[in-house]
Amino acid sequence: ETKQKQKQYKWVPEEEDMEYEVEVTRNPYNLKSWLSYVSFKSSSKSQASILSTDVIYERAIRALPGSYKLWHGYLDRRVRRVRNSVSPDPEKSRSSVISLFERALVSMHKMPRVWLDYARFLRSECGKVTATRRVLDRALQALPLAQHDIIWKEYLSFISDESISVPPVTALRVLRRHVSHDPGAVEELVDALAAEGCWLEAAT
């Protein structure tokens, strides 16, 4: 969606942008220059400014695909826009942000914050149970063991979220896996099994 808008929106830098344009053209690998540019453009709330800022972010991450600050700023901006918008096609807007998260993870897959933000977006803004679970599973596979506690905290919050109704069979599967990571959490699993009438497994 963003790329289509950018194609339709023939943005030409204005005179006030030239100082920043010269700087990023001269040294496209200078993170500070890109951050200053997007900060300057995003100070305006006009539709033209919103689209031009997206264009600048896209140019910046092409130059610096490994920059967490650029990806975090761009993702946060797009998520907030979906959350606060009254788009006539909200599903299309959400799909566009999902695609952006997937692009970010190509280079940001070792950053737990990106995984957490992605899972929370799928859970809170999209209500996607299966997609959220799969993203959290991928996070556990991608991140080192020392960072798994961060993901498990989010995973347990997800399966207990009554607003999205995680199926009991899914919740039990997650709790069984969690016990293998943290044996001290076995009582939570026993309680969940008892609540679902799985008495033999709970006793075992």
Side-chain angles (χ1 to χ4, degrees):
E1 180 188 9
T2 298
K3 289 183 178 179
Q4 290 176 347
K5 284 183 177 180
Q6 290 170 4
K7 289 178 181 178
Q8 297 170 0
Y9 176 60
K10 303 295 183 180
W11 177 63
V12 177
E14 301 175 8
E15 184 176 351
E16 61 182 8
D17 302 326
M18 294 315 297
E19 176 185 348
Y20 297 94
E21 279 292 326
V22 169
E23 185 62 32
V24 297
T25 301
R26 180 186 297 139
N27 188 357
Y29 305 112
N30 187 319
L31 174 60
K32 185 177 179 180
S33 297
W34 286 112
L35 292 175
S36 296
Y37 200 177
V38 295
S39 176
F40 168 71
K41 292 302 291 183
S42 61
S43 61
S44 172
K45 302 301 181 183
S46 67
Q47 183 65 19
S49 178
I50 290 172
L51 291 174
S52 62
T53 304
D54 285 352
V55 172
I56 295 167
Y57 261 120
E58 289 286 344
R59 291 168 58 194
I61 60 179
R62 279 199 299 271
L64 297 167
S67 171
Y68 171 76
K69 283 189 176 182
L70 286 173
W71 278 114
H72 178 70
Y74 193 21
L75 289 165
D76 182 64
R77 172 185 176 81
R78 295 286 299 279
V79 167
R80 282 189 286 106
R81 195 185 308 165
V82 169
R83 184 177 298 135
N84 299 328
S85 74
V86 286
S87 170
D89 191 352
E91 186 58 35
K92 187 175 181 179
S93 297
R94 288 191 287 265
S95 295
S96 177
V97 176
I98 290 171
S99 296
L100 186 61
F101 270 109
E102 290 293 338
R103 286 172 54 203
L105 286 170
V106 172
S107 54
M108 295 287 107
H109 56 280
K110 294 300 182 184
M111 296 293 180
R113 178 83 262 161
V114 178
W115 288 108
L116 291 174
D117 288 346
Y118 190 8
R120 288 167 184 168
F121 177 76
L122 290 170
R123 169 183 165 186
S124 302
E125 306 302 326
C126 307
K128 294 180 180 291
V129 173
T130 301
T132 304
R133 177 179 57 78
R134 287 175 177 169
V135 164
L136 292 169
D137 285 343
R138 287 167 59 194
L140 291 171
Q141 293 172 350
L143 295 170
L145 188 61
Q147 295 180 323
H148 281 198
D149 283 344
I150 303 171
I151 302 302
W152 275 115
K153 183 177 180 180
E154 180 67 21
Y155 219 151
L156 296 176
S157 173
F158 159 64
I159 63 172
S160 62
D161 187 348
E162 296 181 357
S163 67
I164 58 174
S165 301
V166 174
V169 64
T170 298
L172 287 175
R173 190 179 301 125
V174 171
L175 288 172
R176 290 186 188 103
R177 288 178 57 201
H178 182 234
V179 166
S180 67
H181 168 75
D182 178 13
V186 68
E187 290 187 12
E188 297 174 24
L189 174 59
V190 170
D191 290 343
L193 289 166
E196 293 303 315
C198 302
W199 301 108
L200 179 59
E201 185 179 353
T204 302

